[in-house]
Amino acid sequence: MQDNFAAIPVFVAVVECESFSAAARRLGITKSAVSKRIAQLENSLGVQLLQRTTRSLSLTEAGEQYFGYARNACAVAREGEDAVTRLQGQPQGCLRISVPMVFGRLHVAPLIPRFLAACPDVEITMMMDDQVVDLVDGGFDLAIRIGQLADSSLIARRIAPCHSLLCAAPAYLACYGTPTDLEQLSRHNCLFYSYFRGGSEWQFEGPTGRVRFQPRGNYQVNNSEALREALLAGMGICQMPTFIVGDDIAQGRLIELMPAYRLPAHAIYAVYPQRKYLPAKVSAFVDFLLAQLGGDQPYWDVPRQ
């Protein structure tokens, strides 16, 4: 029975990750240890919980039934740990964070050494990915999200504003001219971020109100730093957040365009699953981010005209 209890979080991780290898990485153990735990659990219960092939993994009927109870057991155990940690008041344990690739590299990763120095009993596992992950299924304590948040059961705390602007390199503008309105912009090569949640259209708050614009160009990519490199190389015009290009604007490497046409304002949020007892490690990290990045004008922002 004791071995069964120890195998429950391993079983839950395998199902949520849909992979023995991914579950092993999440748990910080070897793949063979995961396989052994699952085999022991199945032998003890006398049923097969998982259908395994070289290409896929799925739950049997018994596995589906057991998984519901197993996941609830893990959730109750986490709540118990959170309650105890709260009583101790000391941030501790493994903090799993999901952050957007570029924002994470530029503005979160540099802060990690300072946070860990202040909270030496915390360990951090951070995943950088521009695609939105499921926090519960992925086993994450916290995520950084940028832009409009979808309705969900997650708790969100606003960290900082996120301003975007149209910009291009001086070399591009010298060759092709500087657009001052949407009609002129339509004749330019517009570069595009392919994970943009607003769809393919660009929206502006123009002199006469909100307007939509369909950008056209010869390059789109799912990484904002690749777009920045293309901009600096003089390939075209793009809308970019100032947390990426703020310094380029300030140094004149990129030029802000069409200031009369503002892009919608968004925000940067810390989001986490709703819990009765928020772990001290989560609240400590969110408070740390607010102290370092919060405010109406974060350090990366250029002065707005």
Side-chain angles (χ1 to χ4, degrees):
M1 183 64 71
Q2 187 174 357
D3 287 342
N4 285 3
F5 288 148
I8 286 174
V10 178
F11 172 65
V12 171
V14 168
V15 177
E16 290 180 342
C17 294
E18 299 181 346
S19 162
F20 277 52
S21 299
R25 287 193 295 272
R26 181 202 284 191
L27 298 169
I29 60 178
T30 65
K31 182 181 176 182
S32 61
V34 171
S35 299
K36 183 178 179 180
R37 284 289 189 186
I38 297 301
Q40 288 174 340
L41 181 62
E42 290 179 326
N43 289 337
S44 176
L45 295 172
V47 295
Q48 184 176 356
L49 300 173
L50 298 166
Q51 292 279 5
R52 301 181 280 278
T53 69
T54 55
R55 293 188 177 181
S56 67
L57 182 149
S58 61
L59 286 167
T60 63
E61 183 179 358
E64 287 183 3
Q65 200 164 48
Y66 189 75
F67 176 66
Y69 291 104
R71 184 150 76 167
N72 287 341
C74 287
V76 171
R78 281 196 298 270
E79 279 201 7
E81 291 172 0
D82 296 344
V84 170
T85 303
R86 266 294 179 204
L87 287 175
Q88 293 173 331
Q90 181 68 29
Q92 57 186 291
C94 182
L95 179 64
R96 287 178 50 82
I97 309 169
S98 170
V99 299
M101 179 71 71
V102 178
F103 185 82
R105 190 188 71 76
L106 294 177
H107 303 293
V108 179
L111 299 177
I112 297 300
R114 267 186 281 166
F115 176 77
L116 291 178
C119 300
D121 294 327
V122 175
E123 299 174 5
I124 287 182
T125 298
M126 185 163 67
M127 186 183 82
M128 297 184 183
D129 194 333
D130 284 341
Q131 297 204 56
V132 176
V133 300
D134 187 298
L135 296 192
V136 175
D137 285 348
F140 290 100
D141 297 294
L142 175 77
I144 302 299
R145 300 270 167 86
I146 300 173
Q148 204 72 26
L149 296 180
D151 290 336
S152 73
S153 61
L154 299 176
I155 305 299
R157 285 185 67 184
R158 186 179 183 272
I159 299 296
C162 178
H163 296 124
S164 295
L165 44 75
L166 276 186
C167 57
Y172 175 86
L173 300 175
C175 287
Y176 301 103
T178 302
T180 58
D181 56 36
L182 296 183
E183 194 278 326
Q184 293 178 17
L185 183 63
S186 67
R187 298 195 292 268
H188 283 266
N189 192 44
C190 295
L191 314 179
F192 194 71
Y193 176 61
S194 54
Y195 279 169
F196 182 55
R197 288 192 210 167
S200 61
E201 287 186 329
W202 292 350
Q203 293 187 34
F204 297 92
E205 293 292 340
T208 60
R210 179 163 293 189
V211 292
R212 298 175 181 271
F213 174 78
Q214 183 64 56
R216 308 213 183 283
N218 62 4
Y219 185 47
Q220 61 175 293
V221 63
N222 65 350
N223 181 274
S224 297
E225 283 190 304
L227 276 179
R228 174 180 173 270
E229 292 299 323
L231 282 170
L232 293 172
M235 285 180 58
I237 295 173
C238 188
Q239 59 168 308
M240 293 288 285
T242 53
F243 69 75
I244 296 176
V245 299
D247 191 55
D248 295 315
I249 298 292
Q251 300 298 323
R253 293 185 292 266
L254 294 173
I255 306 297
E256 181 180 2
L257 304 174
M258 296 170 50
Y261 290 82
R262 295 291 183 186
L263 292 162
H266 294 298
I268 300 161
Y269 299 92
V271 300
Y272 43 88
Q274 188 169 11
R275 292 181 180 177
K276 186 175 181 180
Y277 302 100
L278 184 65
K281 61 187 178 183
V282 175
S283 58
F285 191 73
V286 174
D287 290 343
F288 179 78
L289 288 179
L290 280 166
Q292 300 298 319
L293 306 178
D296 292 332
Q297 189 175 54
Y299 64 82
W300 59 75
D301 244 342
V302 296
R304 313 298 292 167
Q305 295 179 354

